[in-house]
Amino acid sequence: MTPPVIRLAVTDDHILFRKGLRALISGFPGMEVLFEAGDGEELLERLDQGNRPDVILMDLQMPNLDGLQTVRLLRAQYPYIRVIIISMHDEPELIESLKAEGAHGYLLKNANPEEVRGAILAAYNNNESRPALAPLGVTE
């Protein structure tokens, strides 16, 4: 039986960063990016059209609808979708408040690829309605 593929969405207002993150994730086995969005508003429109990722990687500071506002809406409308906030801010109070609002992970924009992959797996595995996936190289 083939393991499930983790479906992702990347939301960031910087196109180059978005494309780079998509390229990085495309290199991870068992993961695929379904779509990209430039802000929370566009993300919600895509979700309303039926595009439902398992995990969303989302910038904190975006125009129209920022990461915090979007996390709050996602928690209410799509509670089964896991959200990882990506930001350059590393204040512990901010990270804790985002988690309290419903974020399932937090990455700094200077994270290394293994940290990104690990955060995606952790967020995905933190959903009781899905089977857990082992990190690459770990066997049971």
Side-chain angles (χ1 to χ4, degrees):
M1 181 171 115
T2 24
V5 171
I6 300 174
R7 299 162 306 159
L8 296 113
V10 176
T11 305
D12 195 295
D13 57 320
H14 294 98
I15 296 170
L16 187 59
F17 183 80
R18 220 171 46 223
K19 297 289 182 194
L21 195 52
R22 181 182 199 135
L24 175 70
I25 293 167
S26 296
F28 296 151
M31 295 185 193
E32 71 172 331
V33 176
L34 295 179
F35 65 88
E36 301 170 24
D39 59 37
E41 200 172 273
E42 184 181 350
L43 170 70
L44 291 170
E45 287 171 11
R46 297 293 300 266
L47 294 174
D48 290 343
Q49 293 169 359
N51 296 306
R52 305 283 165 74
D54 301 306
V55 179
I56 296 168
L57 286 100
M58 182 169 45
D59 188 17
L60 180 60
Q61 294 179 306
M62 299 178 292
N64 300 325
L65 198 56
D66 70 19
L68 179 58
Q69 295 167 313
T70 306
V71 164
R72 290 175 178 150
L73 292 169
L74 289 169
R75 185 181 63 194
Q77 296 173 21
Y78 302 100
Y80 53 87
I81 296 177
R82 300 305 187 219
V83 179
I84 300 170
I85 296 292
I86 302 176
S87 178
M88 61 183 166
H89 303 287
D90 63 354
E91 297 85 29
E93 304 82 29
L94 173 65
I95 296 168
E96 287 308 311
S97 69
L98 286 163
K99 288 183 178 180
E101 291 291 347
H104 301 92
Y106 191 91
L107 281 169
L108 290 174
K109 285 197 171 181
N110 65 355
N112 69 50
E114 277 309 305
E115 288 175 299
V116 174
R117 190 179 158 282
I120 293 168
L121 284 171
Y124 180 86
N125 288 333
N126 187 22
N127 189 339
E128 297 76 29
S129 67
R130 291 191 189 91
L133 297 178
L136 191 63
V138 176
T139 55
E140 295 184 36

